[in-house]
Amino acid sequence: MFSVFVSGASLALSGFVLQRILKNPLIDPGITGVLSGSALGYVIASYLLPSFGTSFLFWKALFSFLFGLVPGFVL
């Protein structure tokens, strides 16, 4: 239950920061391409990395995070 609270709070905070940085109250990660970038990272990690063990989950999350940062820096 605590992890659900932490993940929801971090998503709300990241959306707030994104809106304040870009000075646009209607912006969200779907418009900026962050969601698409992180989905691409997840697919690439799922395709390229072997799918065994808990380390696989870490690498999928890391690839997703890193690929989600790319559109943020380009924007």
Side-chain angles (χ1 to χ4, degrees), residues 6-7 21 23 26 34 40 42 46-47 52 58 61 71 73 75:
V6 170
S7 63
I21 288 174
K23 296 182 175 111
L26 300 176
V34 173
L40 177 66
Y42 186 86
S46 297
Y47 184 71
F52 55 88
F58 169 76
F73 284 126
L75 186 65

Side-chain angles (χ1 to χ4, degrees), residues 6-65:
V6 170
S7 63
S10 64
L11 285 172
L13 182 63
S14 66
F16 176 74
V17 169
L18 187 63
Q19 289 175 350
R20 291 295 153 214
I21 288 174
L22 296 175
K23 296 182 175 111
N24 184 351
L26 300 176
I27 199 104
D28 69 343
I31 293 173
T32 59
V34 173
L35 290 177
S36 299
S38 60
L40 177 66
Y42 186 86
V43 169
I44 289 173
S46 297
Y47 184 71
L48 294 178
L49 299 174
S51 61
F52 55 88
T54 57
S55 66
F56 178 63
L57 298 174
F58 169 76
W59 287 108
K60 283 197 303 188
L62 183 66
F63 269 60
S64 180
F65 176 73

